[in-house]
Amino acid sequence: MFTNSNSACIAAELHKVFINSPHAADSVELWLAVAAEAERQLGVHIPAPLVPWVPIFVRYRLWRTEGEFFPFTGSTRITTGPLTGTTYTDLDHAAHAVVGATPIALPHYARHGDVADLAQVRRPVPSWRFRARAVPPLIA
């Protein structure tokens, strides 16, 4: 039986195949390589001490927040910005925290000195992304 942590480890390995491939994103060769790696990963047990933190980032309202993702547990640790050093149980909680800690620019029609009702400002939750140059370094 596979848990979220197994899925995250497999996703990180599949991302490594994707980013290292010389083929186009819609090529049959690339997706055959991804499928072969998925099949291999499903038969591999990865002990927790061997799983490293994977570098990730999120961009929200022109602010970039760096972090690290631990595939074995799904934990996310923030490494830049006002939340530096904070660890969250999953990517979603970390993304919501980033949204809450990011300053909101007032609408152009708000006068200086007016108090804006920030509860009504729409705050979509961003997605975490792998850093392009830092391929997830899981077990080769």
Side-chain angles (χ1 to χ4, degrees), residues 18 21-32 34:
F18 182 83
S21 175
H23 303 292
D26 61 350
S27 72
V28 173
E29 294 87 357
L30 168 65
W31 292 105
L32 287 174
V34 168

Side-chain angles (χ1 to χ4, degrees), residues 26-56:
D26 61 350
S27 72
V28 173
E29 294 87 357
L30 168 65
W31 292 105
L32 287 174
V34 168
E37 181 62 19
E39 188 174 14
R40 188 181 80 76
Q41 287 296 318
L42 289 173
V44 174
H45 171 71
I46 303 172
L50 297 179
V51 178
W53 287 82
V54 178
I56 57 175

